[in-house]
Amino acid sequence: MNIPATPEEIAAVMARLRLRLPADGAPDLPGDADPVPALPSAGTGPGQWVNASGRPATEAGALVYAHGGGFAHTEPRAERLLASHLSRATGRPVFAVDYRLAPAHPYPAALRDVLAVHDSLLAHGVPDIVLFGESAGGTLVLSALLALKADGKPLPRAVAVSPLTDLTLSGPSLDANDGLDLINRAVLERVARQYLAGAPPDRAPQSPLHGDPSGLPPLLLAAGSREVLLDDAKRFAEAAPDCVLDVYEGMPHAFHLAMLTGPPLPTTTTFLRRLADFTHRRPI
């Protein structure tokens, strides 16, 4: 599905994404976002609950959020704020995974942390789990699905925004969209090198495009038409049997993060509506 945007909105999103939020610069959580654990017992895994739904995870289900940042960076306050938006849109608590970061902890450390959170939620009786990630977090979400499938475990639905699916960096849009996006091939080469630390880039699950997507659950992928990873999303969506790809016209990498630094824009409102429809199992 192609989602249009006006030139003015595209410019507004680009301007917002160029703002560099300091570690303490993101706004505080809204009053309806409860950081109290959404499960009755501890031990979910590394991370934090954010709950704007007013319901426990054992009733509402849960969304597991894997943040972006090139597998190497985290902005906790910004991630908590995004988690509150995701919780409000989906009507379920969100667990933001504080996964281990490269280069100190390369592959497969971050993937194992995401898998551990998923397994813990299952053990706690959470009835419906959705994985969500952007950028490197989107990679981890798709990698987690392939790893869960290989282990014969229950497969959650998943949403990946601007995922890096091919760590060989062979997507044509890496060059076709060079200069249009906020990241480029040089950035991704450094990201892949730090994350893999010698692991092969053409193997799954670390490089999801090189795995077998048959049997995967319903997926929603989103990407901007001007981002260098557009073809990473397109090629995975074409291979996966039950996948919807939303392409947001004129948008760059991880465009949805524009919702963190200003009032709602039509693009981010549409994104949250599409996410809500997917998690509530409405036709999208």
Side-chain angles (χ1 to χ4, degrees):
M1 177 175 177
N2 288 341
I3 298 173
T6 65
E8 294 77 14
E9 186 180 359
I10 294 168
V13 169
M14 295 292 287
R16 289 190 187 187
L17 292 179
R18 287 192 175 100
L19 294 174
R20 296 295 299 171
L21 287 173
D24 60 351
D28 291 330
L29 284 175
D32 64 345
D34 186 0
V36 175
L39 287 171
S41 57
T44 304
Q48 180 179 357
W49 284 105
V50 176
N51 188 3
S53 74
R55 298 193 294 167
T58 49
E59 173 189 314
L63 186 141
V64 176
Y65 168 42
H67 64 79
F71 306 104
H73 304 284
T74 181
E75 296 184 26
R77 289 188 69 180
E79 290 152 16
R80 289 196 298 271
L81 180 58
L82 180 63
S84 73
H85 285 289
L86 300 176
S87 179
R88 195 172 299 106
T90 61
R92 62 180 64 203
V94 172
F95 189 83
V97 185
D98 183 21
Y99 58 80
R100 287 169 290 175
L101 301 174
H105 302 284
Y107 172 81
L111 174 58
R112 287 176 175 167
D113 291 340
V114 173
L115 292 170
V117 168
H118 172 265
D119 289 350
S120 178
L121 292 177
L122 283 180
H124 280 87
V126 175
D128 183 36
I129 300 170
V130 176
L131 305 184
F132 178 98
E134 80 258 340
S135 192
T139 309
L140 292 172
V141 160
L142 298 178
S143 294
L145 291 179
L146 294 171
L148 290 169
K149 188 184 83 161
D151 290 341
K153 293 182 178 180
L155 297 176
R157 291 172 295 143
V159 181
V161 185
S162 301
L164 170 60
T165 67
D166 178 14
L167 289 164
T168 69
L169 305 181
S170 66
S173 57
L174 277 165
D175 298 317
N177 284 348
D178 185 42
L180 301 178
D181 201 356
L182 299 175
I183 61 172
N184 56 34
R185 179 183 288 275
V187 169
L188 293 168
E189 287 174 347
R190 182 171 65 253
V191 165
R193 183 170 59 252
Q194 282 194 145
Y195 176 58
L196 291 172
D202 60 347
R203 304 283 179 84
Q206 64 266 34
S207 194
L209 188 65
H210 295 271
D212 176 11
S214 63
L216 290 186
L219 306 175
L220 174 63
L221 269 57
S225 68
R226 66 187 295 171
E227 68 170 297
V228 293
L229 291 178
L230 175 60
D231 283 322
D232 276 50
K234 281 185 172 180
R235 290 183 294 165
F236 194 89
E238 289 168 357
D242 190 2
C243 182
V244 173
L245 171 64
D246 287 347
V247 177
Y248 288 76
E249 295 297 332
M251 293 297 154
H253 184 71
F255 61 90
H256 67 302
L257 297 178
M259 72 178 73
L260 301 182
T261 51
L265 294 167
T267 290
T268 53
T269 299
T270 298
F271 171 79
L272 290 174
R273 177 179 57 79
R274 297 283 289 170
L275 173 65
D277 289 344
F278 178 78
T279 54
H280 293 137
R281 299 179 183 268
R282 291 192 289 258
I284 62 170

